[in-house]
Amino acid sequence: MIAKHAQAILDLLQPGGGPTVYDGKVPGTPAAKYLLVYFDSGDPEEADSRPLTGESQRHVTRAIVHGVGATQASARIMADFARTQLLDVAPTVAGRLCQPIRREDGQPVIRDETTGPAVFDAVAVYRLESVPA
């Protein structure tokens, strides 16, 4: 389940000719600007998301998307690209009915020098929810 939802989000972020997207790991020599994506999933235990049998039906995947670049402007460009590709899109996941993706949280662009030369990073958290089709 997690892999299917993660792949649906990655597919939206990787249209032909789009920016480089890394799934959880940046190589030793990354692209000048890129998206780095981490995933977290859960099955909410809310009464309205379970049938009378008690089985969880609703699945939530969160994509933590880092828009990274050598300048604040390039980090913002990467973050904006992710936003336009994900926000309000209801992706296709086999056997599931997906809700439109929503942005849950984020942080402004920050400067990061922990790995050497300065890079700028803008983070946003997107939520994808689905139920069985």
Side-chain angles (χ1 to χ4, degrees):
M1 181 82 65
I2 296 168
K4 289 181 182 180
H5 286 76
Q7 191 59 56
I9 291 169
L10 289 170
D11 289 347
L12 291 172
L13 292 172
Q14 296 174 324
T20 301
V21 178
Y22 299 117
D23 182 2
K25 183 178 180 185
V26 178
T29 306
K33 56 185 179 180
Y34 58 87
L35 296 172
L36 172 61
V37 187
Y38 297 99
F39 294 97
D40 181 42
S41 294
D43 297 312
E45 290 299 324
E46 296 177 14
D48 63 351
S49 70
R50 286 180 275 143
L52 294 176
T53 60
E55 300 166 354
S56 294
Q57 296 291 306
R58 188 167 59 120
H59 182 81
V60 176
T61 296
R62 286 179 178 82
I64 300 91
V65 181
H66 295 254
V68 181
T71 65
Q72 283 192 59
S74 60
R76 285 192 306 266
I77 289 167
M78 291 291 90
D80 190 52
F81 175 84
R83 183 182 186 282
T84 61
Q85 294 300 112
L86 298 176
L87 193 61
D88 298 328
V89 175
T92 300
V93 175
R96 307 291 294 177
L97 293 174
C98 294
Q99 297 294 316
I101 295 172
R102 299 293 183 227
R103 185 177 187 270
E104 278 192 336
D105 200 3
Q107 69 182 29
V109 176
I110 60 169
R111 183 183 180 107
D112 182 355
E113 297 180 62
T114 58
T115 59
V119 295
F120 293 84
D121 183 9
V123 181
V125 179
Y126 294 93
R127 182 186 75 244
L128 169 58
E129 294 188 36
S130 71
V131 295

